[in-house]
């Protein structure tokens, strides 16, 4: 597969779900704790440096940012949850927007859940998994920043994550992989899944050995 298999453009930022693009077609949400690397992952997957804004300061993405693949397909960069240092009021507003999105959005096909491999399955991640479980929405977990751990340590967390999903969310359609935006690793595996969710007709894969 050549990556990215589609071209992605910025569509719209909204504070409330009511302002979001029409709820039709297929949407994939990028979720995760603040600073997990959601915006970086979108850029990495889109092969664009600054499509989604990234930041060293947690809490950068404070709105729902929509990206267009084509008229029927979108990505959405969700606000990062679980960042303690923003005011209670701001936090409450994000959580409301997130919860509203997660419970109401009809075009939501799957959640691409980013978890820092060094701090997986934090309470807010569990909440997200519970929402998806409740609505019957598939989740793909990317254990990101895996460049921060050795290969062996990364594989161990991957295995633990798989067992935890099977044990605690047995009904949830889930999968998990290692990912690094810094090293651009895990991109092929992520696109395989995204292409499936997006029902993309991909050109025949050339055997490039990668
Ligand atoms: P919010 O918008 O605050 O919710 O954060 P976010 O989840 O969008 O995180 P963002 O992509 O802005 O990345 C946060 C920080 O982590 C930035 O300093 C990134 O450069 C860094 N980062 C993201 N992905 C990786 C990765 O794979 N490896 C390493 N080492 N750093 C990463
Ligand atoms: Mg962000």
């Amino acid at each position: 597969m050549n990556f990215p298999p589609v071209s992605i453009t910025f569509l719209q930022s909204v504070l409330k779900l009511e302002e979001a693009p029409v709820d039709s077609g297929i949407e994939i949400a990028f979720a995760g704790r603040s600073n997990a690397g959601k915006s970086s992952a979108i850029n990495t997957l889109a092969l664009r440096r600054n499509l989604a804004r990234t930041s060293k300061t947690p809490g950068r993405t404070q709105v729902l940012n929509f990206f267009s693949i084509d008229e029927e397909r979108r990505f959405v960069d969700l606000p990062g949850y679980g960042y303690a240092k923003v005011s209670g009021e701001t936090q409450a507003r994000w959580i409301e927007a997130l919860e509203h999105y997660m419970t109401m959005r009809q075009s939501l096909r799957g959640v691409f859940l980013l978890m820092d491999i060094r701090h997986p399955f934090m309470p807010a991640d569990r909440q997200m998994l519970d929402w998806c479980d409740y609505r019957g929405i598939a989740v793909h977990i990317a254990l990101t920043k895996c460049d921060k751990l050795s290969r062996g340590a990364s594989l161990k967390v991957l295995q633990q994550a798989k067992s935890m999903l099977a044990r605690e969310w047995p009904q949830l359609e889930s999968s998990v992989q290692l990912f690094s935006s810094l090293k651009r690793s895990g991109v092929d595996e992520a696109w395989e899944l995204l292409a499936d969710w997006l029902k993309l007709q991909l050109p025949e894969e050339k055997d490039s050995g990668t």
Side-chain angles (χ1 to χ4, degrees):
M1 203 189 294
N2 288 321
F3 297 105
V6 289
S7 84
I8 303 169
T9 55
F10 177 74
L11 189 62
Q12 194 183 350
S13 283
V14 309
L15 277 169
K16 296 181 189 156
L17 191 57
E18 290 79 9
E19 299 157 5
V22 176
D23 192 4
S24 66
I26 304 174
E27 204 160 273
I28 294 176
F30 286 73
R33 281 161 38 88
S34 191
N35 214 41
K38 298 173 291 300
S39 302
S40 302
I42 290 180
N43 290 333
T44 301
L45 292 167
L47 206 63
R48 294 269 300 273
R49 198 178 292 262
N50 258 321
L51 185 62
R53 282 204 206 154
T54 63
S55 168
K56 291 202 191 317
T57 318
R60 189 71 184 80
T61 306
Q62 305 193 358
V63 290
L64 303 167
N65 287 312
F66 290 87
F67 300 88
S68 168
I69 295 168
D70 58 34
E71 293 211 338
E72 287 297 307
R73 299 175 174 91
R74 292 174 303 279
F75 280 168
V76 53
D77 188 6
L78 297 178
Y81 43 73
Y83 181 56
K85 287 187 189 163
V86 295
S87 74
E89 196 185 320
T90 310
Q91 184 94 258
R93 187 161 47 78
W94 298 355
I95 292 171
E96 193 180 302
L98 246 185
E99 187 166 356
H100 200 187
Y101 178 88
M102 286 304 299
T103 51
M104 303 298 288
R105 196 71 170 164
Q106 291 306 311
S107 52
L108 179 59
R109 166 64 180 86
V111 171
F112 194 97
L113 178 58
L114 279 296
M115 299 200 277
D116 185 324
I117 191 160
R118 298 163 299 174
H119 317 283
F121 295 97
M122 300 294 274
D125 300 317
R126 294 174 162 275
Q127 165 79 76
M128 184 56 71
L129 289 163
D130 288 341
W131 272 332
C132 293
D133 198 14
Y134 178 74
R135 280 201 58 194
I137 286 166
V139 181
H140 183 72
I141 294 177
L143 294 167
T144 193
K145 307 196 187 182
C146 71
D147 52 274
K148 298 273 191 186
L149 297 184
S150 69
R151 181 77 187 153
S154 296
L155 289 171
K156 194 172 165 198
V157 182
L158 179 66
Q159 214 41 57
Q160 286 167 344
K162 284 181 181 166
S163 322
M164 189 171 282
L165 283 166
R167 191 171 62 241
E168 297 190 37
W169 291 274
Q171 308 294 332
L172 180 67
E173 182 189 336
S174 67
S175 44
V176 48
Q177 70 160 105
L178 299 176
F179 192 84
S180 165
S181 289
L182 189 75
K183 301 267 187 216
R184 295 194 49 78
S185 62
V187 175
D188 296 26
E189 193 177 346
W191 264 118
E192 294 281 348
L193 190 280
L194 293 168
D196 179 39
W197 280 354
L198 291 168
K199 296 197 174 93
L200 287 176
Q201 301 288 341
L202 295 172
E204 281 293 302
E205 195 170 342
K206 289 206 185 80
D207 189 5
S208 60
T210 51

